[in-house]
Amino acid sequence: MKVHLTRRYMIAASHRLHNDKLSAADNREMYGKCNNPYGHGHNYAVEVTVGGELNQQTGMVCNLAELDECVRREVLERFDHQNLNTRPEFAEQVPTTENFAVVIYDILKREFRGTHLEKIRIEETANNSFEYCGPAKLP
Amino acid sequence: MKVHLTRRYMIAASHRLHNDKLSAADNREMYGKCNNPYGHGHNYAVEVTVGGELNQQTGMVCNLAELDECVRREVLERFDHQNLNTRPEFAEQVPTTENFAVVIYDILKREFRGTHLEKIRIEETANNSFEYCGPAKLP
Amino acid sequence: MKVHLTRRYMIAASHRLHNDKLSAADNREMYGKCNNPYGHGHNYAVEVTVGGELNQQTGMVCNLAELDECVRREVLERFDHQNLNTRPEFAEQVPTTENFAVVIYDILKREFRGTHLEKIRIEETANNSFEYCGPAKLP
Amino acid sequence: MKVHLTRRYMIAASHRLHNDKLSAADNREMYGKCNNPYGHGHNYAVEVTVGGELNQQTGMVCNLAELDECVRREVLERFDHQNLNTRPEFAEQVPTTENFAVVIYDILKREFRGTHLEKIRIEETANNSFEYCGPAKLP
Amino acid sequence: MKVHLTRRYMIAASHRLHNDKLSAADNREMYGKCNNPYGHGHNYAVEVTVGGELNQQTGMVCNLAELDECVRREVLERFDHQNLNTRPEFAEQVPTTENFAVVIYDILKREFRGTHLEKIRIEETANNSFEYCGPAKLP
Amino acid sequence: MKVHLTRRYMIAASHRLHNDKLSAADNREMYGKCNNPYGHGHNYAVEVTVGGELNQQTGMVCNLAELDECVRREVLERFDHQNLNTRPEFAEQVPTTENFAVVIYDILKREFRGTHLEKIRIEETANNSFEYCGPAKLP
């Protein structure tokens, strides 16, 4: 019996969408007001979904304390109350929420061994969300 | 790397569930209070999910301004603050939220070319929602 | 010790904002898209607040079953899944949410005797709400 | 055209996470504060997803009144305003929310014949949710 | 310039509404399914509102870290993941949410000196909330 | 008959809490992680409450289109997708959410003449909100 668990964490962070390799005009056209020079911010809701066989003895699919500790140490400490543009993870790529989802997925895929990581979903605002389930398998 | 983007739009509309081909008694039994003759209404939350390869240059999966403009022109202008029963899309079918989801899916599948349309989800009330992912592929 | 209790009820209804005493042009200017001829609808969240002394024996401020039964009989049965414009309460006044709040306040003030009615608050959409606390007392 | 319908129901219940076959120390380490001897509680939001072909005549995928009646009789009457640990369904297993999801899935799979049951999702808190889609098919 | 700050905390707890001084029949009539012998539970959302003059130097009305620490120590540690009926605060009174609001108000009034306590509001469920602002002043 | 209308607007902005007149150590102690040098951000939900006599002819308390246009021009254009620390309104004061509420109140008090401004409420996060009702009247 396979069960999925989704856990929600909040990250208050700022970012500016800007690609140094493009002209100012192209950046403005591409990113609109998200290209404002001093940045802006969001309360990102990050949902981590893990899945696996239900442990018959514990009745649980994942040790929640271990997941929380891993997310706190590897994700919240890096990004909460930070400016994403100043982080090394975004030195070579624009801190869009799409890229943010991939970055968090890759971190947790590497660091959290307890249960299979299924998906990262980020709500950027109440009307916008993004999901990443890892690299697609080859057919 | 495939990422999904979901964007949420609100539509305030009214409808009456009634099938002219059925008797009054059958309509009442089938649709209950949703068959009241003068109609009633909802704040429909329409969630549009698109998905595709992450563009390495922009860090985005979809041009949000293009999606918003398409949904505004093709969906919100047609249905927001309207009575669904008076719309040509529902001349031959009952404006259930199931059918509403299929109608919106078909419109956006035709009109929005920017990114692959994955799913339409409509919340009719806080306790009721419907999803349509397009016609199932043959095996 | 005075305590307030707020209870939330949902009403799915349709309405059209239109004043017969005004010209079509004035109606359109005043009410905008809410003046569309066939009406539109909302999921109204109606919050009823009552207040009074905490009963030391029961530890309650209001008999919730009595309040629910009164709201069901006097408010939900009249307005849920209805077109507000066809209701006698709106024969002489436009069914704005402001007027709807006053109508519900007056009904419950008359019909619910169990605990003092303090306020009616209606959420018309996630971004719009209206409150009415009864006629202001003279100074 | 296959459509999914999701319906949300609330269950206020209490539980204590404790496995009689383990030592007190192991229980405390495994379940943390959820192992407190007198139990605690939650407002569980149970989302039932069913899916099937859209009925062309009715425009519906499921008779909602039948689903509501089945869930009321088979799920809400058993678990709402109850202590899960005292229920026979949890005589042999710990009432984790994972197990609760499987229990509700199995009940509705057996009792609700109207439309294909796709998924049970339970929100235990605003930050925690669990999903179960039935036993995985063999490859 | 007086500003109010409201801070929201979650408490998962169980309770049973029962007054030992009343008969079993009276208890059942008064409290309905909330009188079930083994109790049930809720995710209580406790909102603490404090108010005062805006400090011109800090731009803040309250030291949030101090408030959080006080609520954690005095409220969450006592009630979170507990059965309210087993707590000494409810030895002589029924653990209704009305009484729970008064108990929390009295604790914080005594323990939190940083900023004036204005109100305790508890959401018992998504549809039920209770507010207490302290003993009314004599006229 | 006096009715209150509350309208909700979203502002995505970044800020850093830092007072130049204090030492680095004092700033860090006072503002904690909100003092991080590169700032962070929020989705601020700004609720504007106005109140007045219900207009008998229109059934409305406020021209919503006028309010929306005023808030868009005077508030959203200044602050949405901006870094609050770079705005002239915060040249002499720390951009706490308390001060942000006062700033918005003062702008709308001056610019919106249609209906009496009653209150500004800002949700900084799902767990934090601030209210300002204008300068207290002298007794």
Side-chain angles (χ1 to χ4, degrees):
Chain A
M1 291 185 300
K2 189 175 182 186
V3 174
H4 287 79
L5 154 70
T6 298
R7 185 92 169 145
R8 185 180 176 99
Y9 305 89
M10 298 303 299
I11 293 179
S14 58
H15 70 167
R16 182 202 182 192
L17 301 188
H18 184 85
N19 186 338
D20 290 339
K21 295 169 190 153
L22 300 176
S23 69
D26 282 355
N27 269 295
R28 179 148 296 273
E29 184 184 333
M30 179 102 62
Y31 298 117
K33 60 186 178 181
C34 297
N35 184 243
N36 281 350
Y38 300 109
H40 60 281
H42 297 292
N43 300 321
Y44 297 93
V46 178
E47 295 189 347
V48 178
T49 299
V50 299
E53 279 297 309
L54 198 41
N55 181 314
Q56 294 300 316
Q57 188 180 42
T58 64
M60 298 194 297
V61 70
C62 170
N63 185 317
L64 210 50
E66 283 178 14
L67 176 60
D68 281 358
E69 171 55 21
C70 180
V71 172
R72 187 197 60 71
R73 186 183 64 235
E74 301 294 340
V75 178
L76 304 185
E77 294 246 323
R78 285 184 199 189
F79 301 116
D80 185 33
H81 281 75
Q82 298 293 338
N83 179 326
L84 299 184
N85 298 65
T86 67
R87 293 287 317 165
E89 292 83 357
F90 296 104
E92 302 292 327
Q93 58 183 342
V94 185
T96 59
T97 304
E98 287 94 328
N99 278 334
F100 197 16
V102 175
V103 162
I104 292 176
Y105 181 93
D106 288 344
I107 290 173
L108 290 180
K109 198 70 185 175
R110 191 176 63 231
E111 301 293 342
F112 184 64
R113 304 295 173 78
T115 312
H116 185 257
L117 180 63
E118 300 275 350
K119 185 167 68 175
I120 297 296
R121 176 177 176 269
I122 305 185
E123 292 180 18
E124 186 183 52
T125 70
N127 297 327
N128 258 6
S129 63
F130 300 88
E131 290 184 13
Y132 180 61
C133 301
K137 292 96 188 164
L138 289 174
Chain B
M1 291 184 301
K2 189 175 183 187
V3 173
H4 287 78
L5 154 69
T6 297
R7 184 94 168 142
R8 186 180 176 97
Y9 305 90
M10 298 303 299
I11 292 179
S14 57
H15 70 166
R16 181 202 182 192
L17 301 188
H18 184 85
N19 186 338
D20 290 339
K21 296 168 190 153
L22 299 177
S23 69
D26 283 355
N27 269 294
R28 180 148 294 275
E29 184 184 333
M30 179 102 61
Y31 298 117
K33 60 186 178 179
C34 297
N35 183 243
N36 282 351
Y38 300 109
H40 60 282
H42 298 291
N43 300 320
Y44 297 94
V46 178
E47 295 189 347
V48 178
T49 299
V50 299
E53 279 298 310
L54 198 41
N55 181 313
Q56 294 300 316
Q57 188 179 40
T58 65
M60 297 193 298
V61 71
C62 171
N63 185 318
L64 210 51
E66 282 178 14
L67 176 59
D68 280 357
E69 171 55 21
C70 181
V71 172
R72 187 198 60 72
R73 186 181 65 236
E74 302 294 339
V75 178
L76 303 186
E77 294 245 324
R78 286 183 199 189
F79 301 117
D80 185 34
H81 281 75
Q82 299 293 338
N83 179 326
L84 299 184
N85 298 65
T86 68
R87 293 287 316 167
E89 292 84 357
F90 296 105
E92 302 292 328
Q93 57 183 342
V94 185
T96 59
T97 304
E98 287 94 327
N99 278 334
F100 197 16
V102 174
V103 162
I104 292 176
Y105 181 93
D106 288 344
I107 290 174
L108 290 180
K109 197 72 185 174
R110 191 176 64 232
E111 301 293 342
F112 184 65
R113 305 293 174 77
T115 311
H116 185 257
L117 180 63
E118 301 275 349
K119 185 167 67 173
I120 297 295
R121 176 177 176 269
I122 305 185
E123 291 179 18
E124 187 183 52
T125 70
N127 296 328
N128 257 6
S129 63
F130 300 88
E131 291 185 11
Y132 180 61
C133 301
K137 291 96 188 165
L138 289 173
Chain C
M1 291 186 302
K2 190 176 182 185
V3 174
H4 287 79
L5 154 69
T6 297
R7 186 90 168 144
R8 187 180 174 98
Y9 306 91
M10 297 304 298
I11 292 179
S14 59
H15 70 166
R16 181 202 181 192
L17 301 189
H18 184 84
N19 185 339
D20 291 338
K21 296 169 188 151
L22 299 177
S23 69
D26 282 356
N27 268 295
R28 180 148 294 275
E29 184 185 332
M30 179 102 61
Y31 298 117
K33 61 186 177 178
C34 297
N35 184 242
N36 282 351
Y38 301 109
H40 61 282
H42 297 291
N43 300 320
Y44 296 95
V46 178
E47 295 189 345
V48 178
T49 300
V50 298
E53 281 297 310
L54 198 42
N55 181 314
Q56 293 301 316
Q57 188 180 40
T58 64
M60 297 194 297
V61 70
C62 171
N63 185 317
L64 210 51
E66 283 179 14
L67 177 60
D68 280 359
E69 171 55 21
C70 180
V71 171
R72 188 197 59 71
R73 187 182 65 235
E74 302 293 339
V75 177
L76 303 186
E77 294 246 323
R78 286 183 199 190
F79 301 117
D80 186 33
H81 281 74
Q82 299 293 338
N83 180 326
L84 299 185
N85 298 64
T86 67
R87 293 285 318 164
E89 293 82 358
F90 295 106
E92 302 290 327
Q93 57 182 342
V94 184
T96 58
T97 304
E98 288 94 326
N99 277 334
F100 197 16
V102 174
V103 162
I104 292 176
Y105 181 93
D106 288 345
I107 290 173
L108 290 179
K109 197 71 185 176
R110 190 175 65 234
E111 301 293 342
F112 184 65
R113 303 295 173 75
T115 311
H116 185 258
L117 180 64
E118 301 275 349
K119 186 167 67 176
I120 297 296
R121 176 176 175 270
I122 304 183
E123 290 179 19
E124 187 183 53
T125 71
N127 297 327
N128 258 5
S129 63
F130 300 88
E131 290 184 12
Y132 179 61
C133 300
K137 291 94 187 167
L138 289 175
Chain D
M1 290 186 302
K2 189 175 182 187
V3 174
H4 287 79
L5 154 69
T6 298
R7 185 91 168 146
R8 186 179 174 98
Y9 306 90
M10 298 302 300
I11 292 178
S14 57
H15 70 165
R16 182 202 181 191
L17 301 188
H18 184 84
N19 187 338
D20 291 338
K21 296 168 191 153
L22 300 177
S23 69
D26 283 355
N27 269 296
R28 178 147 298 271
E29 184 184 333
M30 179 102 61
Y31 298 117
K33 60 187 178 179
C34 298
N35 184 242
N36 281 351
Y38 300 109
H40 61 283
H42 298 292
N43 300 319
Y44 297 94
V46 178
E47 295 189 346
V48 178
T49 299
V50 299
E53 280 297 309
L54 198 42
N55 180 314
Q56 294 300 315
Q57 188 180 41
T58 64
M60 297 193 298
V61 70
C62 170
N63 186 317
L64 210 50
E66 283 178 13
L67 177 60
D68 281 358
E69 171 55 21
C70 180
V71 172
R72 187 197 61 72
R73 186 182 64 236
E74 301 293 340
V75 178
L76 304 186
E77 294 246 324
R78 285 184 199 188
F79 301 117
D80 186 33
H81 280 75
Q82 299 292 338
N83 179 326
L84 299 183
N85 298 64
T86 67
R87 294 286 317 165
E89 292 84 357
F90 296 105
E92 301 292 328
Q93 57 183 341
V94 184
T96 58
T97 305
E98 288 93 328
N99 278 334
F100 197 16
V102 174
V103 162
I104 292 177
Y105 181 94
D106 288 344
I107 290 174
L108 290 179
K109 198 71 185 175
R110 190 175 65 232
E111 301 293 341
F112 184 65
R113 303 294 173 77
T115 312
H116 185 257
L117 180 64
E118 300 275 350
K119 186 168 66 175
I120 297 295
R121 177 178 175 269
I122 305 185
E123 291 179 18
E124 186 184 52
T125 70
N127 297 328
N128 257 5
S129 63
F130 300 87
E131 290 184 12
Y132 179 61
C133 300
K137 292 95 187 165
L138 289 174
Chain E
M1 291 186 302
K2 190 176 182 185
V3 174
H4 287 78
L5 154 69
T6 298
R7 186 91 168 145
R8 186 180 176 98
Y9 305 90
M10 297 305 297
I11 292 179
S14 58
H15 69 166
R16 181 202 182 192
L17 301 188
H18 184 84
N19 185 338
D20 291 338
K21 296 169 189 151
L22 300 177
S23 70
D26 283 355
N27 268 295
R28 180 149 293 275
E29 183 183 333
M30 180 102 62
Y31 297 117
K33 61 186 178 180
C34 297
N35 183 243
N36 282 350
Y38 300 109
H40 61 283
H42 299 291
N43 300 320
Y44 297 94
V46 178
E47 295 189 347
V48 178
T49 299
V50 298
E53 281 297 309
L54 199 42
N55 181 314
Q56 294 300 316
Q57 188 180 40
T58 65
M60 297 195 297
V61 70
C62 171
N63 185 317
L64 210 50
E66 283 178 14
L67 176 60
D68 280 359
E69 171 54 22
C70 181
V71 171
R72 188 197 60 71
R73 187 183 63 234
E74 302 293 339
V75 177
L76 303 186
E77 294 246 322
R78 286 184 199 188
F79 301 117
D80 186 33
H81 281 73
Q82 299 293 338
N83 179 327
L84 299 185
N85 298 64
T86 67
R87 293 287 317 165
E89 293 83 357
F90 295 105
E92 302 291 326
Q93 57 182 343
V94 185
T96 59
T97 305
E98 288 94 326
N99 278 335
F100 197 16
V102 174
V103 162
I104 292 176
Y105 181 93
D106 288 344
I107 290 173
L108 290 179
K109 196 71 185 176
R110 191 177 64 233
E111 300 293 342
F112 184 63
R113 304 296 173 76
T115 311
H116 185 257
L117 180 64
E118 301 274 349
K119 186 167 68 177
I120 296 296
R121 176 177 176 270
I122 304 184
E123 291 180 17
E124 188 184 51
T125 71
N127 296 327
N128 259 4
S129 64
F130 299 88
E131 290 184 12
Y132 179 60
C133 300
K137 290 95 186 166
L138 289 174
Chain F
M1 292 186 302
K2 189 174 183 186
V3 173
H4 287 79
L5 155 68
T6 297
R7 186 92 169 145
R8 186 179 174 99
Y9 305 90
M10 297 304 298
I11 292 178
S14 59
H15 70 166
R16 181 202 182 193
L17 301 189
H18 184 83
N19 186 337
D20 290 339
K21 295 170 190 152
L22 300 178
S23 69
D26 283 355
N27 269 295
R28 180 147 295 273
E29 184 183 334
M30 179 103 61
Y31 298 116
K33 61 186 177 179
C34 297
N35 184 241
N36 282 350
Y38 300 109
H40 61 282
H42 299 291
N43 300 321
Y44 296 95
V46 178
E47 295 190 346
V48 178
T49 299
V50 299
E53 281 296 310
L54 198 42
N55 181 314
Q56 293 300 315
Q57 188 179 41
T58 64
M60 297 194 298
V61 71
C62 171
N63 185 316
L64 210 50
E66 283 178 12
L67 176 60
D68 281 358
E69 170 55 22
C70 180
V71 171
R72 187 197 60 71
R73 187 183 62 235
E74 302 293 340
V75 178
L76 303 185
E77 294 247 323
R78 286 184 199 188
F79 300 116
D80 185 34
H81 281 74
Q82 299 292 338
N83 179 327
L84 299 185
N85 298 65
T86 67
R87 294 286 317 165
E89 293 83 358
F90 296 105
E92 303 290 327
Q93 57 182 341
V94 184
T96 58
T97 304
E98 288 94 327
N99 278 334
F100 197 15
V102 174
V103 162
I104 292 176
Y105 181 94
D106 288 344
I107 290 174
L108 289 179
K109 197 72 186 176
R110 189 175 65 232
E111 301 293 342
F112 184 64
R113 303 295 172 78
T115 312
H116 185 257
L117 180 64
E118 301 275 350
K119 186 167 68 178
I120 297 297
R121 176 176 175 270
I122 304 184
E123 290 179 19
E124 188 184 51
T125 71
N127 297 328
N128 258 5
S129 64
F130 300 88
E131 291 184 12
Y132 180 61
C133 300
K137 290 97 187 166
L138 288 175

